[in-house]
């Protein structure tokens, strides 16, 4: 079998997650790794068992590398995705696609002109029960969507000593919690329900107005603690917590809460979608179980089991019932669909995976949420 050779750019938290998922696909080889310097690239490549190490410019010159995964801080997504497309590489980019709408629009246009496969890593769509909810809604099981309640809660920035590049607007953009995890929530809501968000009303809160930035490197989720003299005080002006009211194109309403300062919530996305026939509820920290609410009868619990799920959802399930699948499997299932397209050599007419256009859509919603918070008023999307 001729394998598709891939280069991964960036080795923070998410880069190795991409690598691990890619290694589970039989037709893919993670052939190269890229970092900010040749020295760091070689060290990370040795650590991750990857044969070839490059700087970004050198990686793009490698003719046998067909696809590039952009896993760098947000401010690099636009320039690196553009350069990769211009070099004739298929591109899988972390979210957000870019720092502003103009950059994202340019990438969508360029990707369309090249015909190259383009994807944005909204991997949470690929929990099997998220696909099941979408299919059930499409088949009419849910009925008309009456309301949506969503939340995405984490605690990794709970202390004022918690620090990461995502706290710096020049690297991550003007929004943090909404752009980082709220984007996943907004994407999956529209994906499952088929609705479009048409207006937003947002209210942000920054819990820690000043944070203590480590003067030594600390990796995301590492949990390492430094001494008081190892920190510098830095003012914070992006949100730790946000509430957003939503209006949808069917005339009905929703609300989401996003927080990175909720003690004990490590990475919990919850959805409750109430329809005219049933209610669906699901929690990413218990992703193999879905609650189905009924007015006139017993409530139900659907366990992730391909034999019990609709045929259209079985393609994102790899194991039988009782053999739990979780976060690492979502990237594998997404990349499985993306690399089917790459094997065919071009972007499908109707992709099943999230594309640059989806990345533009979530950036648009995020910018409208930011505008709403600034104005403290409803803003149309």
């Amino acid at each position: 079998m001729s394998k598709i050779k891939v280069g991964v750019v960036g080795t923070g938290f998410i880069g190795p997650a991409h690598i691990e998922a890619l290694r589970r696909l039989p037709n893919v080889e993670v052939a190269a790794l890229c970092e900010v310097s040749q020295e760091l690239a070689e060290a990370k490549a040795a650590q991750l068992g990857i044969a070839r190490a490059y700087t970004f410019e050198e990686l793009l010159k490698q003719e046998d590398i067909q696809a590039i995964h952009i896993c760098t801080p947000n401010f690099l997504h636009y320039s690196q995705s553009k350069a990769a497309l211009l070099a004739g590489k298929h591109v899988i980019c972390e979210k957000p696609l870019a720092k502003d709408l103009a950059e994202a629009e340019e990438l969508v246009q360029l990707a369309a002109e090249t015909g190259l496969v383009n994807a944005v890593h909204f991997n949470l769509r690929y929990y099997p029960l998220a696909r099941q909810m979408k299919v059930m809604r499409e088949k009419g099981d849910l009925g008309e969507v009456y309301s949506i309640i969503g939340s995405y809660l984490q605690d990794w920035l709970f202390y004022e000593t918690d620090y990461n590049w995502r706290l710096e607007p020049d690297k991550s953009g003007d929004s943090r919690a909404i752009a980082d995890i709220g984007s996943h929530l907004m994407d999956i809501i529209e994906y499952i329900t088929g609705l479009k968000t048409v207006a937003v009303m947002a209210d942000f809160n920054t819990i820690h107005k000043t944070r203590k930035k480590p003067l030594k490197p600390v990796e995301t989720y590492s949990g390492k603690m430094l001494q008081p003299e190892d920190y510098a005080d830095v003012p914070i002006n992006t949100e730790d917590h946000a509430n957003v009211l939503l209006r949808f194109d069917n005339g009905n309403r929703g609300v989401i809460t996003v927080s990175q300062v909720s003690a004990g919530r490590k990475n919990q996305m919850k959805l409750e979608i109430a329809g005219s026939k049933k209610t669906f509820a699901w929690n990413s920290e218990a992703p193999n179980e879905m609650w189905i609410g009924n007015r006139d009868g017993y409530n139900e619990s659907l366990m992730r089991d391909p034999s019990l799920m609709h045929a259209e959802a079985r393609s994102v399930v790899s194991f039988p019932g009782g053999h739990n699948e979780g976060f690492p499997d979502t990237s594998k299932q997404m990349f499985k669909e993306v690399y089917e397209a790459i094997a065919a050599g071009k972007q499908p007419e109707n992709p099943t995976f999230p594309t640059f256009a989806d990345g533009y859509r979530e950036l648009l919603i995020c910018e409208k949420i930011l505008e709403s918070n600034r104005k403290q008023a409803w803003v149309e999307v």
Side-chain angles (χ1 to χ4, degrees):
M1 180 191 295
S2 176
K3 294 196 174 187
I4 300 164
K5 288 187 169 60
V6 179
V8 176
V9 185
T11 59
F13 162 68
I14 204 66
H18 280 238
I19 291 165
E20 190 274 338
L22 288 166
R23 283 174 164 165
R24 297 167 69 189
L25 301 181
N27 63 330
V28 175
E29 177 189 345
V30 183
L33 178 148
C34 162
E35 259 298 348
V36 292
S37 69
Q38 185 65 30
E39 182 183 26
L40 181 58
E42 289 175 3
K44 288 289 188 177
Q47 181 183 336
L48 293 164
I50 296 171
R52 294 151 61 186
Y54 301 103
T55 58
F56 184 69
E57 292 72 17
E58 289 302 311
L59 175 64
L60 294 189
K61 294 176 184 176
Q62 307 306 308
E63 292 184 4
D64 63 330
I65 299 295
Q66 295 173 252
I68 301 286
H69 284 243
I70 308 293
C71 302
T72 48
N74 300 357
F75 74 102
L76 292 169
H77 292 179
Y78 161 74
S79 61
Q80 291 181 335
S81 293
K82 181 178 179 179
L85 287 171
L86 290 172
K89 312 295 187 187
H90 305 290
V91 178
I92 298 87
C93 184
E94 266 302 321
K95 49 80 197 163
L97 178 59
K99 281 186 69 179
D100 60 52
L101 282 175
E103 289 183 350
E105 191 170 17
E106 184 183 344
L107 289 176
V108 171
Q109 182 69 28
L110 180 60
E113 289 170 1
T114 64
L116 292 162
V117 174
N118 58 91
V120 175
H121 192 229
F122 285 122
N123 59 305
L124 302 190
R125 291 185 182 192
Y126 283 82
Y127 280 109
L129 291 179
R131 180 72 64 92
Q132 174 72 6
M133 284 187 279
K134 173 182 168 63
V135 174
M136 289 178 71
R137 187 269 305 167
E138 290 171 340
K139 291 182 178 294
D141 296 352
L142 179 64
E144 180 190 357
V145 176
Y146 282 172
S147 69
I148 299 168
I149 302 169
S151 64
Y152 203 142
L153 309 178
Q154 298 177 330
D155 72 356
W156 70 288
L157 293 173
F158 181 72
Y159 295 114
E160 66 172 359
T161 51
D162 291 326
Y163 202 87
N164 182 271
W165 61 263
R166 290 176 178 82
L167 292 155
E168 300 173 6
D170 64 325
K171 295 185 179 67
S172 67
D174 294 332
S175 170
R176 179 181 13 111
I178 284 289
D180 185 19
I181 53 178
S183 59
H184 274 298
L185 188 55
M186 296 303 301
D187 176 73
I188 203 169
I189 284 172
E190 292 196 342
Y191 173 72
I192 291 171
T193 66
L195 299 178
K196 293 294 183 187
T197 304
V198 296
V200 295
M201 168 66 117
D203 191 28
F204 289 4
N205 191 19
T206 303
I207 302 294
H208 298 298
K209 307 296 191 287
T210 302
R211 285 182 180 266
K212 296 187 178 299
K213 180 178 181 178
L215 301 174
K216 300 176 179 178
V218 180
E219 293 188 2
T220 307
Y221 302 128
S222 66
K224 296 174 184 174
M225 298 298 289
L226 305 182
Q227 300 305 309
E229 63 271 17
D230 295 326
Y231 296 100
D233 287 344
V234 174
I236 301 298
N237 50 24
T238 54
E239 75 281 6
D240 289 316
H241 177 277
N243 296 311
V244 187
L245 297 174
L246 309 169
R247 289 178 181 164
F248 299 106
D249 57 356
N250 72 343
N252 290 331
R253 308 292 198 264
V255 60
I256 62 167
T257 295
V258 174
S259 173
Q260 294 176 321
V261 290
S262 294
R265 294 301 186 197
K266 303 306 177 186
N267 190 50
Q268 184 199 69
M269 180 170 69
K270 289 179 74 174
L271 295 170
E272 183 146 330
I273 304 168
S276 58
K277 295 182 180 177
K278 297 179 183 292
T279 296
F280 297 163
W282 178 81
N283 166 11
S284 72
E285 287 190 344
N288 291 276
E289 182 175 353
M290 168 189 167
W291 182 85
I292 302 170
N294 296 293
R295 166 65 188 266
D296 300 312
Y298 296 119
N299 294 331
E300 304 163 82
S301 182
L302 171 63
M303 303 302 291
R304 183 213 52 80
D305 182 337
S307 69
L308 303 176
M309 295 166 65
H310 286 302
E312 297 91 334
R314 287 180 201 142
S315 64
V316 295
V317 183
S318 291
F319 297 96
H323 299 76
N324 287 339
E325 292 174 89
F327 179 82
D329 300 284
T330 61
S331 294
K332 181 193 80 170
Q333 298 294 352
M334 176 179 160
F335 296 159
K336 186 169 69 177
E337 293 185 350
V338 170
Y339 278 86
E340 284 175 9
I342 291 174
K346 63 179 182 179
Q347 186 81 343
E349 196 169 315
N350 296 299
T352 53
F353 52 84
T355 66
F356 279 15
D358 294 299
Y360 175 88
R361 171 71 185 165
E362 293 321 306
L363 204 59
L364 171 65
I365 295 173
C366 181
E367 290 211 0
K368 297 300 183 180
I369 289 172
L370 270 167
E371 181 184 342
S372 172
N373 178 66
R374 285 194 299 268
K375 293 180 175 177
Q376 290 290 286
W378 281 97
V379 171
E380 291 186 358
V381 177

